[in-house]
Tab-separated table of all heavy atoms in Angstrom:
chain	number	residue	atom	x	y	z
A	607	SER	N	-46.676	23.460	-14.452
A	607	SER	CA	-45.668	22.918	-13.537
A	607	SER	C	-44.265	23.197	-14.046
A	607	SER	O	-43.370	23.561	-13.265
A	607	SER	CB	-45.883	21.416	-13.365
A	607	SER	OG	-44.880	20.863	-12.536
A	608	HIS	N	-44.081	23.058	-15.361
A	608	HIS	CA	-42.764	23.321	-15.947
A	608	HIS	C	-42.404	24.798	-15.827
A	608	HIS	O	-41.261	25.148	-15.503
A	608	HIS	CB	-42.762	22.889	-17.413
A	608	HIS	CG	-41.440	23.085	-18.093
A	608	HIS	ND1	-40.287	22.421	-17.723
A	608	HIS	CD2	-41.079	23.927	-19.115
A	608	HIS	CE1	-39.279	22.813	-18.477
A	608	HIS	NE2	-39.730	23.714	-19.326
A	609	GLU	N	-43.388	25.670	-16.069
A	609	GLU	CA	-43.142	27.111	-15.952
A	609	GLU	C	-42.818	27.482	-14.515
A	609	GLU	O	-41.936	28.304	-14.257
A	609	GLU	CB	-44.371	27.881	-16.433
A	609	GLU	CG	-44.190	29.392	-16.426
A	609	GLU	CD	-43.051	29.862	-17.297
A	609	GLU	OE1	-42.811	29.254	-18.355
A	609	GLU	OE2	-42.369	30.844	-16.906
A	610	ALA	N	-43.512	26.862	-13.561
A	610	ALA	CA	-43.225	27.129	-12.149
A	610	ALA	C	-41.821	26.677	-11.792
A	610	ALA	O	-41.109	27.343	-11.027
A	610	ALA	CB	-44.255	26.420	-11.261
A	611	TYR	N	-41.425	25.519	-12.350
A	611	TYR	CA	-40.064	25.019	-12.109
A	611	TYR	C	-39.028	25.999	-12.665
A	611	TYR	O	-38.027	26.306	-11.998
A	611	TYR	CB	-39.896	23.656	-12.770
A	611	TYR	CG	-38.448	23.198	-12.871
A	611	TYR	CD1	-37.779	22.694	-11.759
A	611	TYR	CD2	-37.752	23.315	-14.075
A	611	TYR	CE1	-36.457	22.300	-11.840
A	611	TYR	CE2	-36.427	22.921	-14.164
A	611	TYR	CZ	-35.785	22.421	-13.053
A	611	TYR	OH	-34.478	22.041	-13.147
A	612	LEU	N	-39.261	26.504	-13.872
A	612	LEU	CA	-38.326	27.449	-14.476
A	612	LEU	C	-38.244	28.732	-13.658
A	612	LEU	O	-37.161	29.295	-13.488
A	612	LEU	CB	-38.750	27.771	-15.914
A	612	LEU	CG	-38.652	26.627	-16.929
A	612	LEU	CD1	-39.186	27.079	-18.282
A	612	LEU	CD2	-37.208	26.155	-17.070
A	613	GLU	N	-39.400	29.186	-13.151
A	613	GLU	CA	-39.418	30.406	-12.349
A	613	GLU	C	-38.631	30.200	-11.050
A	613	GLU	O	-37.860	31.069	-10.642
A	613	GLU	CB	-40.856	30.801	-12.046
A	613	GLU	CG	-41.004	32.073	-11.215
A	613	GLU	CD	-40.435	33.293	-11.908
A	613	GLU	OE1	-40.391	33.317	-13.160
A	613	GLU	OE2	-40.014	34.228	-11.191
A	614	ARG	N	-38.825	29.051	-10.396
A	614	ARG	CA	-38.066	28.766	-9.168
A	614	ARG	C	-36.575	28.691	-9.460
A	614	ARG	O	-35.747	29.137	-8.663
A	614	ARG	CB	-38.557	27.459	-8.540
A	614	ARG	CG	-39.909	27.556	-7.862
A	614	ARG	CD	-40.164	26.356	-6.960
A	614	ARG	NE	-40.166	25.112	-7.694
A	614	ARG	CZ	-41.236	24.581	-8.273
A	614	ARG	NH1	-42.402	25.201	-8.192
A	614	ARG	NH2	-41.153	23.427	-8.913
A	615	ASN	N	-36.241	28.129	-10.617
A	615	ASN	CA	-34.833	28.022	-10.995
A	615	ASN	C	-34.226	29.398	-11.226
A	615	ASN	O	-33.089	29.673	-10.819
A	615	ASN	CB	-34.690	27.170	-12.253
A	615	ASN	CG	-33.250	26.782	-12.523
A	615	ASN	OD1	-32.586	26.216	-11.666
A	615	ASN	ND2	-32.759	27.094	-13.712
A	616	ARG	N	-35.006	30.285	-11.870
A	616	ARG	CA	-34.525	31.658	-12.081
A	616	ARG	C	-34.330	32.366	-10.749
A	616	ARG	O	-33.349	33.095	-10.556
A	616	ARG	CB	-35.522	32.426	-12.965
A	616	ARG	CG	-35.453	32.084	-14.443
A	616	ARG	CD	-36.247	33.073	-15.268
A	616	ARG	NE	-37.672	32.943	-15.038
A	616	ARG	CZ	-38.480	32.194	-15.774
A	616	ARG	NH1	-37.983	31.500	-16.780
A	616	ARG	NH2	-39.772	32.143	-15.513
A	617	GLU	N	-35.279	32.173	-9.834
A	617	GLU	CA	-35.163	32.798	-8.512
A	617	GLU	C	-33.941	32.270	-7.773
A	617	GLU	O	-33.241	33.028	-7.084
A	617	GLU	CB	-36.433	32.532	-7.700
A	617	GLU	CG	-37.658	33.265	-8.225
A	617	GLU	CD	-38.914	32.887	-7.462
A	617	GLU	OE1	-38.825	31.988	-6.590
A	617	GLU	OE2	-39.965	33.490	-7.735
A	618	PHE	N	-33.685	30.963	-7.903
A	618	PHE	CA	-32.510	30.368	-7.264
A	618	PHE	C	-31.228	30.968	-7.828
A	618	PHE	O	-30.306	31.314	-7.067
A	618	PHE	CB	-32.511	28.856	-7.470
A	618	PHE	CG	-31.247	28.186	-6.999
A	618	PHE	CD1	-31.017	27.959	-5.655
A	618	PHE	CD2	-30.265	27.807	-7.921
A	618	PHE	CE1	-29.846	27.353	-5.222
A	618	PHE	CE2	-29.097	27.202	-7.501
A	618	PHE	CZ	-28.877	26.978	-6.151
A	619	GLU	N	-31.156	31.120	-9.155
A	619	GLU	CA	-29.964	31.687	-9.775
A	619	GLU	C	-29.774	33.133	-9.360
A	619	GLU	O	-28.648	33.577	-9.099
A	619	GLU	CB	-30.060	31.584	-11.308
A	619	GLU	CG	-29.875	30.177	-11.842
A	619	GLU	CD	-28.509	29.603	-11.501
A	619	GLU	OE1	-27.510	30.353	-11.599
A	619	GLU	OE2	-28.430	28.426	-11.106
A	620	ASP	N	-30.883	33.893	-9.278
A	620	ASP	CA	-30.788	35.284	-8.824
A	620	ASP	C	-30.267	35.342	-7.397
A	620	ASP	O	-29.411	36.175	-7.065
A	620	ASP	CB	-32.163	35.958	-8.902
A	620	ASP	CG	-32.567	36.283	-10.327
A	620	ASP	OD1	-31.675	36.278	-11.207
A	620	ASP	OD2	-33.757	36.541	-10.565
A	621	SER	N	-30.781	34.461	-6.532
A	621	SER	CA	-30.334	34.439	-5.143
A	621	SER	C	-28.858	34.074	-5.048
A	621	SER	O	-28.112	34.666	-4.264
A	621	SER	CB	-31.171	33.442	-4.332
A	621	SER	OG	-32.527	33.814	-4.324
A	622	ARG	N	-28.441	33.105	-5.853
A	622	ARG	CA	-27.034	32.689	-5.841
A	622	ARG	C	-26.126	33.838	-6.266
A	622	ARG	O	-25.075	34.079	-5.648
A	622	ARG	CB	-26.838	31.494	-6.770
A	622	ARG	CG	-25.436	30.898	-6.727
A	622	ARG	CD	-25.292	29.761	-7.720
A	622	ARG	NE	-25.492	30.223	-9.074
A	622	ARG	CZ	-24.556	30.856	-9.795
A	622	ARG	NH1	-23.369	31.101	-9.265
A	622	ARG	NH2	-24.803	31.237	-11.027
A	623	GLU	N	-26.533	34.563	-7.308
A	623	GLU	CA	-25.726	35.689	-7.770
A	623	GLU	C	-25.655	36.779	-6.715
A	623	GLU	O	-24.594	37.385	-6.499
A	623	GLU	CB	-26.308	36.253	-9.073
A	623	GLU	CG	-26.114	35.346	-10.279
A	623	GLU	CD	-26.666	35.960	-11.551
A	623	GLU	OE1	-27.171	37.096	-11.481
A	623	GLU	OE2	-26.613	35.297	-12.596
A	624	LEU	N	-26.778	37.043	-6.034
A	624	LEU	CA	-26.777	38.077	-4.997
A	624	LEU	C	-25.881	37.689	-3.826
A	624	LEU	O	-25.216	38.549	-3.234
A	624	LEU	CB	-28.210	38.326	-4.514
A	624	LEU	CG	-29.086	39.148	-5.458
A	624	LEU	CD1	-30.514	39.203	-4.926
A	624	LEU	CD2	-28.533	40.558	-5.629
A	625	ILE	N	-25.875	36.411	-3.480
A	625	ILE	CA	-24.987	35.950	-2.407
A	625	ILE	C	-23.526	36.182	-2.790
A	625	ILE	O	-22.717	36.636	-1.966
A	625	ILE	CB	-25.252	34.460	-2.105
A	625	ILE	CG1	-26.617	34.298	-1.420
A	625	ILE	CG2	-24.146	33.881	-1.208
A	625	ILE	CD1	-27.057	32.866	-1.269
A	626	GLU	N	-23.186	35.892	-4.040
A	626	GLU	CA	-21.826	36.132	-4.506
A	626	GLU	C	-21.477	37.618	-4.454
A	626	GLU	O	-20.351	37.998	-4.101
A	626	GLU	CB	-21.659	35.599	-5.929
A	626	GLU	CG	-21.652	34.089	-6.040
A	626	GLU	CD	-20.492	33.474	-5.263
A	626	GLU	OE1	-19.378	34.018	-5.322
A	626	GLU	OE2	-20.717	32.449	-4.588
A	627	ILE	N	-22.446	38.458	-4.818
A	627	ILE	CA	-22.217	39.905	-4.776
A	627	ILE	C	-21.983	40.367	-3.341
A	627	ILE	O	-21.082	41.168	-3.064
A	627	ILE	CB	-23.414	40.642	-5.396
A	627	ILE	CG1	-23.473	40.355	-6.901
A	627	ILE	CG2	-23.304	42.148	-5.163
A	627	ILE	CD1	-24.763	40.811	-7.546
A	628	LEU	N	-22.789	39.859	-2.404
A	628	LEU	CA	-22.620	40.223	-0.997
A	628	LEU	C	-21.251	39.789	-0.474
A	628	LEU	O	-20.613	40.506	0.305
A	628	LEU	CB	-23.741	39.611	-0.156
A	628	LEU	CG	-25.136	40.201	-0.366
A	628	LEU	CD1	-26.178	39.384	0.390
A	628	LEU	CD2	-25.174	41.661	0.074
A	629	ARG	N	-20.798	38.625	-0.908
A	629	ARG	CA	-19.463	38.165	-0.521
A	629	ARG	C	-18.394	39.113	-1.052
A	629	ARG	O	-17.409	39.413	-0.362
A	629	ARG	CB	-19.234	36.752	-1.053
A	629	ARG	CG	-19.975	35.662	-0.293
A	629	ARG	CD	-19.779	34.315	-0.951
A	629	ARG	NE	-20.451	33.251	-0.205
A	629	ARG	CZ	-20.634	32.025	-0.675
A	629	ARG	NH1	-20.202	31.710	-1.892
A	629	ARG	NH2	-21.248	31.119	0.056
A	630	LEU	N	-18.595	39.567	-2.288
A	630	LEU	CA	-17.636	40.488	-2.882
A	630	LEU	C	-17.585	41.797	-2.090
A	630	LEU	O	-16.496	42.319	-1.799
A	630	LEU	CB	-18.015	40.775	-4.338
A	630	LEU	CG	-17.177	41.831	-5.056
A	630	LEU	CD1	-15.736	41.327	-5.251
A	630	LEU	CD2	-17.776	42.197	-6.401
A	631	TYR	N	-18.764	42.336	-1.729
A	631	TYR	CA	-18.790	43.586	-0.973
A	631	TYR	C	-18.179	43.416	0.418
A	631	TYR	O	-17.525	44.334	0.934
A	631	TYR	CB	-20.230	44.104	-0.861
A	631	TYR	CG	-20.740	44.717	-2.138
A	631	TYR	CD1	-22.004	44.431	-2.620
A	631	TYR	CD2	-19.944	45.587	-2.878
A	631	TYR	CE1	-22.472	44.989	-3.799
A	631	TYR	CE2	-20.391	46.140	-4.052
A	631	TYR	CZ	-21.656	45.844	-4.510
A	631	TYR	OH	-22.105	46.394	-5.675
A	632	ARG	N	-18.402	42.256	1.026
A	632	ARG	CA	-17.785	41.987	2.330
A	632	ARG	C	-16.268	41.984	2.185
A	632	ARG	O	-15.548	42.568	3.010
A	632	ARG	CB	-18.277	40.642	2.883
A	632	ARG	CG	-17.621	40.234	4.194
A	632	ARG	CD	-18.145	38.880	4.659
A	632	ARG	NE	-17.500	38.449	5.882
A	632	ARG	CZ	-16.309	37.843	5.939
A	632	ARG	NH1	-15.644	37.587	4.822
A	632	ARG	NH2	-15.797	37.486	7.105
A	633	HIS	N	-15.775	41.335	1.124
A	633	HIS	CA	-14.338	41.292	0.873
A	633	HIS	C	-13.788	42.706	0.654
A	633	HIS	O	-12.732	43.073	1.195
A	633	HIS	CB	-14.061	40.419	-0.346
A	633	HIS	CG	-12.613	40.348	-0.735
A	633	HIS	ND1	-11.679	39.630	-0.007
A	633	HIS	CD2	-11.927	40.912	-1.770
A	633	HIS	CE1	-10.485	39.754	-0.568
A	633	HIS	NE2	-10.612	40.519	-1.634
A	634	ASP	N	-14.505	43.510	-0.126
A	634	ASP	CA	-14.072	44.887	-0.376
A	634	ASP	C	-14.043	45.697	0.913
A	634	ASP	O	-13.132	46.504	1.136
A	634	ASP	CB	-15.008	45.566	-1.386
A	634	ASP	CG	-14.759	45.089	-2.805
A	634	ASP	OD1	-13.725	44.433	-3.033
A	634	ASP	OD2	-15.592	45.366	-3.678
A	635	PHE	N	-15.070	45.488	1.770
A	635	PHE	CA	-15.129	46.246	3.016
A	635	PHE	C	-13.947	45.912	3.916
A	635	PHE	O	-13.342	46.807	4.531
A	635	PHE	CB	-16.447	45.941	3.738
A	635	PHE	CG	-16.682	46.812	4.939
A	635	PHE	CD1	-16.992	48.148	4.802
A	635	PHE	CD2	-16.575	46.289	6.224
A	635	PHE	CE1	-17.200	48.956	5.906
A	635	PHE	CE2	-16.780	47.080	7.339
A	635	PHE	CZ	-17.091	48.412	7.175
A	636	LEU	N	-13.591	44.638	3.989
A	636	LEU	CA	-12.434	44.241	4.778
A	636	LEU	C	-11.154	44.854	4.218
A	636	LEU	O	-10.263	45.273	4.979
A	636	LEU	CB	-12.329	42.709	4.813
A	636	LEU	CG	-13.424	41.976	5.583
A	636	LEU	CD1	-13.268	40.474	5.437
A	636	LEU	CD2	-13.423	42.374	7.051
A	637	ASN	N	-11.052	44.929	2.895
A	637	ASN	CA	-9.890	45.580	2.276
A	637	ASN	C	-9.818	47.050	2.662
A	637	ASN	O	-8.736	47.590	2.930
A	637	ASN	CB	-9.957	45.443	0.757
A	637	ASN	CG	-9.583	44.046	0.289
A	637	ASN	OD1	-8.937	43.293	1.009
A	637	ASN	ND2	-9.983	43.701	-0.919
A	638	HIS	N	-10.995	47.721	2.672
A	638	HIS	CA	-11.024	49.135	3.070
A	638	HIS	C	-10.523	49.304	4.499
A	638	HIS	O	-9.735	50.227	4.790
A	638	HIS	CB	-12.452	49.682	2.953
A	638	HIS	CG	-12.962	49.784	1.550
A	638	HIS	ND1	-12.176	50.214	0.508
A	638	HIS	CD2	-14.186	49.519	1.017
A	638	HIS	CE1	-12.890	50.203	-0.608
A	638	HIS	NE2	-14.100	49.784	-0.321
A	639	LEU	N	-10.963	48.427	5.393
A	639	LEU	CA	-10.517	48.520	6.781
A	639	LEU	C	-9.002	48.332	6.898
A	639	LEU	O	-8.339	49.016	7.691
A	639	LEU	CB	-11.235	47.459	7.627
A	639	LEU	CG	-12.725	47.673	7.879
A	639	LEU	CD1	-13.293	46.534	8.708
A	639	LEU	CD2	-12.975	49.011	8.572
A	640	GLN	N	-8.458	47.431	6.087
A	640	GLN	CA	-7.009	47.194	6.112
A	640	GLN	C	-6.239	48.426	5.621
A	640	GLN	O	-5.201	48.786	6.190
A	640	GLN	CB	-6.669	45.979	5.257
A	640	GLN	CG	-7.124	44.664	5.862
A	640	GLN	CD	-6.903	43.482	4.949
A	640	GLN	OE1	-6.540	43.647	3.793
A	640	GLN	NE2	-7.139	42.279	5.451
A	641	VAL	N	-6.758	49.078	4.589
A	641	VAL	CA	-6.095	50.293	4.084
A	641	VAL	C	-6.121	51.387	5.140
A	641	VAL	O	-5.107	52.065	5.397
A	641	VAL	CB	-6.779	50.776	2.782
A	641	VAL	CG1	-6.229	52.143	2.370
A	641	VAL	CG2	-6.569	49.766	1.663
A	642	ILE	N	-7.289	51.583	5.754
A	642	ILE	CA	-7.418	52.620	6.781
A	642	ILE	C	-6.489	52.321	7.959
A	642	ILE	O	-5.802	53.224	8.482
A	642	ILE	CB	-8.887	52.711	7.249
A	642	ILE	CG1	-9.765	53.209	6.100
A	642	ILE	CG2	-9.003	53.645	8.459
A	642	ILE	CD1	-11.248	53.037	6.358
A	643	THR	N	-6.455	51.063	8.374
A	643	THR	CA	-5.556	50.662	9.464
A	643	THR	C	-4.099	50.935	9.101
A	643	THR	O	-3.310	51.412	9.936
A	643	THR	CB	-5.734	49.159	9.783
A	643	THR	OG1	-7.089	48.915	10.148
A	643	THR	CG2	-4.816	48.734	10.917
A	644	GLY	N	-3.746	50.664	7.862
A	644	GLY	CA	-2.374	50.917	7.402
A	644	GLY	C	-2.002	52.388	7.493
A	644	GLY	O	-0.899	52.734	7.947
A	645	PHE	N	-2.914	53.256	7.061
A	645	PHE	CA	-2.642	54.695	7.145
A	645	PHE	C	-2.449	55.142	8.593
A	645	PHE	O	-1.562	55.962	8.902
A	645	PHE	CB	-3.791	55.494	6.516
A	645	PHE	CG	-3.752	55.547	5.013
A	645	PHE	CD1	-4.906	55.358	4.261
A	645	PHE	CD2	-2.574	55.821	4.332
A	645	PHE	CE1	-4.881	55.417	2.880
A	645	PHE	CE2	-2.530	55.878	2.952
A	645	PHE	CZ	-3.696	55.676	2.218
A	646	ILE	N	-3.288	54.605	9.482
A	646	ILE	CA	-3.183	54.982	10.897
A	646	ILE	C	-1.852	54.503	11.477
A	646	ILE	O	-1.166	55.239	12.207
A	646	ILE	CB	-4.372	54.401	11.688
A	646	ILE	CG1	-5.668	55.074	11.235
A	646	ILE	CG2	-4.159	54.593	13.195
A	646	ILE	CD1	-6.915	54.461	11.831
A	647	GLN	N	-1.462	53.281	11.146
A	647	GLN	CA	-0.192	52.749	11.645
A	647	GLN	C	0.994	53.540	11.114
A	647	GLN	O	2.035	53.641	11.793
A	647	GLN	CB	-0.072	51.268	11.255
A	647	GLN	CG	-1.032	50.355	12.008
A	647	GLN	CD	-0.989	48.926	11.505
A	647	GLN	OE1	-0.529	48.661	10.392
A	647	GLN	NE2	-1.474	47.992	12.320
């Protein structure tokens, strides 16, 4: 039971980190769009 708890906790931490990474990529993508828009303007 303790090992299962630790495994679930590791999976939760991995998921949390991936969510943060996805947020970072979304932020970067929006920055790219702003740069491209600036060049066009």
Side-chain angles (χ1 to χ4, degrees):
S607 177
H608 182 64
E609 183 59 35
Y611 166 77
L612 293 177
E613 180 62 27
R614 286 195 299 272
N615 192 55
R616 283 192 291 267
E617 291 175 355
F618 173 77
E619 287 299 319
D620 286 344
S621 298
R622 186 183 62 80
E623 289 182 1
L624 284 174
I625 290 171
E626 289 298 318
I627 292 169
L628 290 173
R629 285 176 178 168
L630 174 67
Y631 285 135
R632 176 181 178 278
H633 178 73
D634 285 347
F635 188 71
L636 292 175
N637 284 340
H638 292 320
L639 290 179
Q640 289 174 352
V641 172
I642 294 167
T643 301
F645 281 136
I646 293 173
Q647 290 174 341

